[in-house]
Amino acid sequence: MSGAAAPAQQMTGSNRYMLLILLVPGLLALMTTFLLPMVWLARASFSTSSMSAFGGGVTLEHYHAALTDPFYWKVAMNTLSLGVTVSFFAVILSYPIALFLTRSTSRWRGVLTALAVAPLLTSAVVRTYGWMVILGDRGVINSTLQSLSLTTDPVRLSNNTFGATVALVEILMPYAILAMLAGFGRLNPQLEEAASMLGASKLRVFWRIILPLSLPGILTGALLVFVLAISAFVTPRLMGGGRVFVLGTEVFQEATVTLNWPLAAALSVVLLALFSSVIVIYQRALRRLEA
Amino acid sequence: MTNRTSLSLLALLAATGAAHAQDKTPLNVVGFSGVFAENYEKFIIAPFEAAHPDIDVIYQPSKNSAETLALLTLQRSDPTVDVALIDVSVAIKANGEGLFATLDEASVPNLADQPAWARIDGDKSIAFSQDNLTILYNTETVSEPPTSWTDLADPKYKGKIAAKLADTRGVILIPILNKIAGADYKETIDPAIEALNQFAPNVSTWEPAPDCYAVVQSGEVDLSICWNGRSQYLHDTQGGIIGVSAPKEGSIGQTNTINLVEGSAHAEAAKTFINYALSAEAQATFAEKSFYGPVNTKVELSPEVATRIYGSPEAQAAQMSLDWPWIATVYSEWIQRINREVIAFN
């Protein structure tokens, strides 16, 4: 084992051993904080006992209740449409910023990048309250409109889907920017120069060179925002004024108000299934794009 | 979500328990947080400990009854909590799971002074206070306070009402509105749903943030439907900006119950404490200090206190109580109807 006799193979063997040991804490943490609760959640969604996940028999009634109720289908559709709208606007607004940050050669680039993602330093709850101040009935926008005599009654900008969408777009934009920055690796100024030299207009360069090359980044950003938006709970609840019914708020309602824990678990599993299918579709799309 | 919080709460309980466990009997009580916890410790627990030097009551505030229920479920085989104070609807749910022990008049003599409706599930959960649902208003923007539940539908309040109704608040408002319409809540709640839809267009938010009191205090809305005890407290402590207007048609209280946890290691001490908490003396003090309605039939309230708890003599006469075990069977169905037939359309 020891000394000069140790062949290279054994070295890699012990390296691998080391690697495993180093991985153990992380894996254990993942097991206890992620995998075990998932198993618990999955089991609870089949439980006949309303309180203990592992007591009681197994039943499909909660899935039956969730999937045969048109209201939950509507909630699922709300969730999806909120996710799509938020990712669309977050991507549209983040793309120019990310593109600028990638292509910029300014020495302020690092500072600007930090500024772009700085909102992440504040919690989503605080930023949601910020939006309540801006969009509320007595908020900045409404009082400006009224002092300019453009409106007499407050325009309802918050406590509805509009408010929830606006707040979510802003809150999730830094994620989109970060994801795009990471995904724009294939952008190459030389390709643009070559295209221009061959006579392509700026618009054409953007359309034929920049956009296709940045598409993987755009997709990653959109996926990230979409997943965060459909699982969002605090912002839709606070900005929606109770009028925005999405899966996140419904799970909370069932878990803490009506205390139907198995139904809450079943709805969570449905949400997870939604996530997974979106991720599968995304990976297919990405593979096709790169092929 | 509750798993981790419960575990840390457990650890905390164990730690505090160990520190106190020298010669006194430790008694772990889990209950509501905030002003309730403050008042309960000051006006119920402190006098009790003075009278029973051998018992050391450790009060653990819990964020809400759902969290308390999660904690009790988690440690059902080896409970560290001896007494739980929780909402009646949650208590009935817990009784379905056998989490609480039956009390009897031999060990808790004050049970005899509780009205029949307060002795729930065969003396497993005993109601000890009721916090009325009421209308609070901003005294600076509302010159003429509402006097009736039907005032909520007045067009002058358009966009000026905060009403969190997809929980016990809504479940309590339904029988009130039903009674105004002359209907029995056990037969139909359609009249109440219709009444809700009449004032729903006035509602600015169904999810006031941070809560149903702060939005009135800040002037964001004129009216809010919320609990009396906290409103009275905020009226007294926050410069009187929040006014409370108990509607003349009467109200119903959010009912809090006291429960002995099944398998408690200190059941004797727990029963002594429960007996004190149910006494006329304790309930009268708590009513005077926190404006929660008492349950014990021997409690005599001064007219001033009665007015601040129940409103005018007319409202006091119209005060109602509910058949909570029956309500528990329709609780989620009613909330579902409020969500789907009122909030979703407004």
Side-chain angles (χ1 to χ4, degrees):
Chain A
M1 265 294 256
S2 63
Q9 252 180 350
Q10 251 182 8
M11 280 296 285
T12 53
S14 75
N15 268 351
R16 199 170 294 155
Y17 193 60
M18 258 325 268
L19 203 69
L20 264 177
I21 290 182
L22 287 173
L23 274 175
V24 162
L27 284 177
L28 273 180
L30 263 183
M31 270 283 284
T32 46
T33 60
F34 182 71
L35 221 52
L36 281 180
M38 286 294 199
V39 172
W40 191 88
L41 182 81
R43 177 61 181 88
S45 69
F46 292 107
S47 180
T48 49
S49 155
S50 65
M51 308 236 220
S52 50
F54 293 97
V58 173
T59 174
L60 281 172
E61 68 171 299
H62 310 297
Y63 286 97
H64 185 256
L67 297 176
T68 54
D69 190 333
F71 183 77
Y72 289 124
W73 282 100
K74 202 168 162 270
V75 168
M77 287 313 293
N78 287 349
T79 314
L80 280 176
S81 89
L82 182 72
V84 169
T85 322
V86 169
S87 2
F88 178 76
F89 285 105
V91 164
I92 294 276
L93 292 172
S94 307
Y95 185 64
I97 301 176
L99 205 56
F100 168 77
L101 288 173
T102 311
R103 292 154 50 95
S104 166
T105 48
S106 155
R107 61 197 174 105
W108 295 103
R109 189 176 159 221
V111 178
L112 290 174
T113 310
L115 274 179
V117 297
L120 289 178
L121 294 173
T122 343
S123 96
V125 181
V126 175
R127 283 189 284 154
T128 302
Y129 272 93
W131 277 107
M132 290 164 72
V133 171
I134 297 171
L135 298 179
D137 284 354
R138 289 155 43 105
V140 178
I141 292 183
N142 264 314
S143 40
T144 309
L145 285 178
Q146 279 172 20
S147 63
L148 294 175
S149 304
L150 290 172
T151 56
T152 44
D153 288 330
V155 183
R156 189 182 274 173
L157 300 169
S158 65
N159 293 325
N160 54 15
T161 311
F162 175 80
T165 310
V166 170
L168 270 177
V169 166
E170 186 271 336
I171 286 168
L172 297 179
M173 267 178 63
Y175 294 99
I177 295 174
L178 270 183
M180 286 185 197
L181 283 179
F184 285 175
R186 295 204 298 189
L187 279 184
N188 185 346
Q190 286 174 341
L191 289 177
E192 292 168 41
E193 282 162 24
S196 315
M197 275 195 304
L198 293 174
S201 66
K202 286 219 158 161
L203 193 67
R204 205 172 154 83
V205 171
F206 174 77
W207 203 244
R208 299 293 299 272
I209 309 287
I210 301 177
L211 193 62
L213 285 178
S214 57
L215 214 48
I218 294 176
L219 273 181
T220 313
L223 174 81
L224 191 64
V225 172
F226 180 82
V227 166
L228 289 170
I230 65 173
S231 61
F233 151 70
V234 173
T235 308
R237 188 174 157 90
L238 293 181
M239 285 302 295
R243 292 182 178 88
V244 176
F245 294 88
V246 288
L247 282 169
T249 58
E250 285 311 288
V251 169
F252 181 83
Q253 173 89 6
E254 292 298 341
T256 65
V257 180
T258 45
L259 300 179
N260 194 342
W261 294 347
L263 182 58
L267 287 173
S268 309
V269 172
V270 169
L271 190 57
L272 269 175
L274 257 178
F275 278 164
S276 326
S277 35
V278 169
I279 289 174
V280 167
I281 293 171
Y282 162 79
Q283 277 178 333
R284 290 255 168 94
L286 200 63
R287 213 170 294 151
R288 188 165 299 175
L289 209 71
E290 285 175 344
Chain B
M1 88 182 180
T2 35
N3 236 343
R4 245 182 308 162
T5 358
S6 314
L7 274 175
S8 53
L9 204 68
L10 245 169
L12 211 82
L13 277 179
T16 46
H20 286 267
Q22 278 96 30
D23 44 355
K24 294 177 167 189
T25 309
L27 189 65
N28 289 307
V29 179
V30 169
F32 308 98
S33 54
V35 194
F36 180 96
E38 258 171 60
N39 283 335
Y40 205 76
E41 291 201 57
K42 224 189 294 176
F43 302 115
I44 307 285
I45 293 175
F48 172 79
E49 284 182 325
H52 298 87
D54 54 325
I55 299 176
D56 185 18
V57 180
I58 302 132
Y59 189 88
Q60 288 296 326
S62 163
K63 215 164 63 202
N64 53 48
S65 290
E67 199 172 295
T68 312
L69 181 65
L71 174 71
L72 295 173
T73 310
L74 197 70
Q75 45 168 257
R76 69 185 318 160
S77 53
D78 184 21
T80 58
V81 177
D82 303 300
V83 175
L85 311 178
I86 55 177
D87 289 349
V88 63
S89 48
V90 182
I92 290 165
K93 181 112 179 157
N95 282 327
E97 301 284 315
L99 288 169
F100 298 136
T102 307
L103 300 166
D104 57 71
E105 288 184 18
S107 51
V108 185
N110 285 332
L111 270 183
D113 295 336
Q114 310 302 317
W117 68 263
R119 302 170 64 164
I120 294 151
D121 287 339
D123 286 344
K124 279 189 177 138
S125 298
I126 315 297
F128 68 93
S129 79
Q130 297 199 83
D131 193 8
N132 259 1
L133 194 69
T134 193
I135 300 177
L136 40 157
Y137 63 97
N138 184 303
T139 52
E140 288 170 350
T141 56
V142 179
S143 48
E144 224 177 294
T147 55
S148 160
W149 290 106
T150 53
D151 286 347
L152 292 170
D154 192 325
K156 74 176 171 192
Y157 296 121
K158 183 150 179 60
K160 292 288 176 196
I161 299 179
K164 184 167 165 61
L165 294 182
D167 65 4
T168 305
R169 279 162 268 215
V171 170
I172 281 181
L173 191 55
I174 282 177
I176 296 173
L177 297 176
N178 234 20
K179 196 181 105 178
I180 294 172
D184 180 356
Y185 67 85
K186 287 194 184 175
E187 278 160 21
T188 172
I189 62 162
D190 293 346
I193 296 289
E194 203 177 300
L196 285 174
N197 270 315
Q198 264 155 27
F199 82 79
N202 283 349
V203 173
S204 145
T205 174
W206 302 97
E207 196 66 58
D211 60 37
C212 51
Y213 312 97
V215 286
V216 174
Q217 177 82 26
S218 70
E220 201 180 313
V221 294
D222 286 347
L223 307 182
S224 170
I225 303 169
C226 224
W227 307 114
N228 179 65
R230 185 88 192 275
S231 312
Q232 297 284 358
Y233 169 85
L234 292 172
H235 169 82
D236 291 348
T237 56
Q238 304 290 316
I241 292 169
I242 290 179
V244 187
S245 170
K248 60 179 183 218
E249 297 92 350
S251 183
I252 298 170
Q254 141 110 303
T255 303
N256 304 320
T257 64
I258 192 163
N259 307 273
L260 169 61
V261 176
E262 179 73 56
S264 151
H266 312 104
E268 284 318 304
K271 284 175 186 168
T272 314
F273 178 73
I274 292 172
N275 192 49
Y276 178 76
L278 294 176
S279 69
E281 174 204 348
Q283 293 207 4
T285 315
F286 200 65
E288 278 161 27
K289 303 292 184 187
S290 65
F291 305 109
Y292 276 50
V295 172
N296 187 312
T297 51
K298 295 267 165 72
V299 176
E300 300 262 346
L301 293 175
S302 69
E304 297 81 50
V305 174
T307 307
R308 291 198 67 182
I309 294 177
Y310 304 110
S312 64
E314 188 187 357
Q316 288 177 34
Q319 174 76 16
M320 293 165 261
S321 60
L322 293 180
D323 179 354
W324 283 105
W326 187 86
I327 293 286
T329 62
V330 293
Y331 188 90
S332 32
E333 186 195 321
W334 283 11
I335 289 178
Q336 219 172 57
R337 286 195 66 181
I338 293 173
N339 265 327
R340 298 179 183 191
E341 295 173 36
V342 182
I343 298 178
F345 293 108
N346 290 284

